[in-house]
Amino acid sequence: MRLLPQEKTALFIDGANLYAASRALGFDVDYRRLLEFFDKSHLIRAHYYSALLETEEYSPLKPLTDWLAYNGYTLVTKPAKEFTDGAGRRRVKGNMDIELAIDMLEIAPHIDHAVLFSGDSDFRRLVEAVQRRGVRVSVISTIKTSPPMIADELRRQADQFIDLADIAPEFTRRQTEPKQRAPRGEAGQD
C-alpha cells in the first residue's frame, strides 16, 4: 500500500462492512494498530460509521464505539431500524452510506488521499466525484472470500485497491475461524 508521508489522509470506515470482511477472513481488527498503520501518512481524520440498535439495554457494539470515540476516531452513528421480514425473521437495517458520502465530499478539499474501508458498489459514484476534486482514493476490502466482498465496479474506480487480507497482519488482534458469508441481501445488507 502506498502511503506518502506528505499526503493529508482521511479514513472512512464502513463499520459493518469492515467487521463482515475481517470475520470472513478470520481476524479481529485492532483499531489502535490500525491508526498507527495509517500514521505513516499525515492522518487528518479517521471516521468510523455504524448504525446502533437503541432498543436493547446493552449493545455488543457499545464498548467498541465508546473506545473509538475516546481514541482518535470520529464516530458517526445513527439508530438502526428493526423489522420482521416476509419469512418472520428479525432483521436489522442501518445503512450509513449517506453519512459517509457527505463527510467524504465535505473533507475532500482539505485532503490528498481518501481511504475507504468498504466494498459496497453504492460508493462507486462517490469515489468518482472525490477523484474529480483531485483526491486519490484507495479502497480496502477483499476478493479473497467467496463471494468477493468488493463490487467489481468499485474496485475498478479506485486509484488503488488493497486487499484487506494483504495488510491485515499490520492491525490484527487475534486470529479467528473464518465465517461463512450469508448470501447477499441477508443479515441487513442492501
Side-chain angles (χ1 to χ4, degrees):
M1 171 167 203
R2 278 187 357 243
L3 288 174
L4 306 175
Q6 73 278 13
E7 273 189 330
K8 291 182 275 180
T9 303
L11 307 182
F12 299 88
I13 302 169
D14 176 344
N17 201 285
L18 177 57
Y19 176 78
S22 66
R23 297 302 292 180
L25 292 169
F27 71 90
D28 287 336
V29 174
D30 182 329
Y31 288 95
R32 182 183 318 266
R33 289 182 64 202
L34 181 69
L35 276 185
E36 290 168 1
F37 178 75
F38 284 97
D39 263 345
K40 297 171 191 166
S41 64
H42 183 72
L43 187 61
I44 301 292
R45 185 89 56 233
H47 294 89
Y48 183 92
Y49 300 85
S50 182
L52 302 173
L53 265 180
E54 291 182 343
T55 57
E56 297 177 1
E57 210 170 288
Y58 173 79
S59 165
L61 275 178
K62 186 79 171 125
L64 172 63
T65 57
D66 284 348
W67 187 91
L68 292 170
Y70 286 105
N71 288 280
Y73 287 84
T74 300
L75 185 62
V76 182
T77 65
K78 73 177 179 186
K81 308 266 190 270
E82 195 172 355
F83 66 97
T84 304
D85 69 10
R89 293 177 295 215
R90 178 178 167 253
R91 296 285 183 206
V92 176
K93 183 176 174 82
N95 192 318
M96 298 295 295
D97 293 2
I98 294 298
E99 291 79 0
L100 191 152
I102 289 169
D103 289 347
M104 191 182 288
L105 286 169
E106 284 183 344
I107 202 171
H110 309 286
I111 62 173
D112 304 305
H113 187 189
V115 179
L116 173 63
F117 282 80
S118 184
D120 191 333
S121 65
D122 291 344
F123 291 126
R124 193 207 62 79
R125 286 281 291 148
L126 169 65
V127 169
E128 180 183 34
V130 171
Q131 288 169 327
R132 282 195 307 266
R133 289 164 173 78
V135 176
R136 184 165 72 94
V137 181
S138 296
V139 173
I140 299 176
S141 188
T142 187
I143 59 172
K144 295 183 178 175
T145 56
S146 184
M149 296 196 67
I150 183 161
D152 198 45
E153 57 268 35
L154 179 62
R155 186 174 167 207
R156 272 187 256 135
Q157 185 65 50
D159 293 301
Q160 176 180 213
F161 167 73
I162 299 101
D163 199 294
L164 183 61
D166 295 339
I167 60 172
E170 299 291 336
F171 47 83
T172 296
R173 181 175 27 219
R174 65 181 170 84
Q175 289 298 117
T176 62
E177 285 299 311
K179 301 281 185 198
Q180 294 295 63
R181 274 190 65 207
R184 198 102 170 110
E186 289 187 19
Q189 296 178 358
D190 49 354

